[in-house]
Amino acid sequence: MKITVLRSNEATTHLEPLAEILRQSVEDGALVGFVWPLSMERATAYWEDTIQSVASGERLLLGAFVDDRLVGTVQLYLSPEPNAPHRAEVYKLLVHRDFQRRGVGALLMMEVERQARQHQRSLLLLDTVEGGASERLYRRLHWQEIGKVPHHFNDPYGVPKASVYMMKHLDLTADAIAPQAEDQTAEVSAAG
């Protein structure tokens, strides 16, 4: 498996699989801002907007690839606000349903943390649905709960759900920051 930081031009070549992963995630009940049914056109439009944000430098888009097939993605919003140069937010960890429970999400999250350190971000924030697989993953990766908001969202089928806000502090010492690959590609193993 290969985890790659996708530049905007690279991401554009993967619009169809990005849209399909988003559609599958929403169909499977993911709380990522959409309701079901989600058209391919709407999913593609979302990614086109996201790619513009990547091009402006306000966020990173990471992709997980198996044999050159995009199987997962996550975003790191770099909080360009002048009073928050130390902060970033994690958005939309999505894994293709055929590759779930194989460590793809964990590897994407480990790489997003590495990228955050590379960008001198010491505080990461995210929100997730209470009781979901993502919450369990984040807890295994030592994210701390900040609080819960009851009935914060409706799931893609209209069922009210609570969200859990989480944070993680990162060590920015030289020993904690792995050198960034020149081509912004990180090879990672799916073992363990």
Side-chain angles (χ1 to χ4, degrees):
M1 183 183 311
K2 181 172 73 170
I3 306 293
T4 303
V5 177
L6 295 169
R7 294 177 182 90
S8 57
N9 61 331
E10 296 167 324
T12 300
T13 67
H14 296 288
L15 267 176
E16 187 174 332
L18 284 166
E20 185 53 36
I21 289 170
L22 177 58
R23 286 187 77 246
Q24 281 184 6
S25 298
V26 173
E27 183 180 16
D28 292 344
L31 274 87
V32 290
F34 297 95
V35 295
W36 190 255
L38 175 62
S39 71
M40 195 67 165
E41 293 75 21
R42 178 66 187 104
T44 301
Y46 166 78
W47 286 111
E48 289 169 341
D49 290 344
T50 299
I51 291 168
Q52 287 180 4
S53 178
V54 169
S56 75
E58 108 182 327
R59 78 180 64 215
L60 301 178
L61 176 61
L62 284 71
F65 292 85
V66 173
D67 299 327
D68 296 322
R69 178 182 176 190
L70 182 69
V71 300
T73 184
V74 68
Q75 299 168 48
L76 184 67
Y77 176 72
L78 294 171
S79 297
E81 296 83 1
N83 67 343
H86 63 290
R87 190 180 76 214
E89 296 177 45
V90 177
Y91 291 147
K92 291 183 177 41
L93 174 63
L94 306 171
V95 177
H96 190 285
R97 65 173 58 123
D98 293 345
F99 290 85
Q100 292 179 0
R101 304 196 196 309
R102 297 187 188 185
V104 176
L107 291 173
L108 280 164
M109 289 302 293
M110 286 186 273
E111 182 61 16
V112 92
E113 288 182 26
R114 193 182 78 77
Q115 290 296 327
R117 286 184 183 97
Q118 289 290 332
H119 288 81
Q120 296 298 301
R121 298 312 203 258
S122 60
L123 173 63
L124 296 182
L125 302 168
L126 62 77
D127 68 274
T128 189
V129 64
E130 182 181 31
S134 293
E135 180 189 2
R136 291 188 296 275
L137 169 65
Y138 302 141
R139 290 185 188 281
R140 281 195 310 272
L141 295 175
H142 308 291
W143 284 71
Q144 297 174 320
E145 179 180 322
I146 301 168
K148 295 179 185 173
V149 180
H151 194 168
H152 190 213
F153 299 106
N154 288 338
D155 75 10
Y157 299 96
V159 178
K161 299 287 183 177
S163 61
V164 178
Y165 282 82
M166 305 183 90
M167 61 175 251
K168 188 168 189 179
H169 286 285
L170 302 177
D171 182 0
L172 295 183
T173 62
D175 291 341
I177 302 173
Q180 187 173 17
E182 205 167 286
D183 66 356
Q184 293 194 347
T185 301
E187 298 284 342
V188 293
S189 167

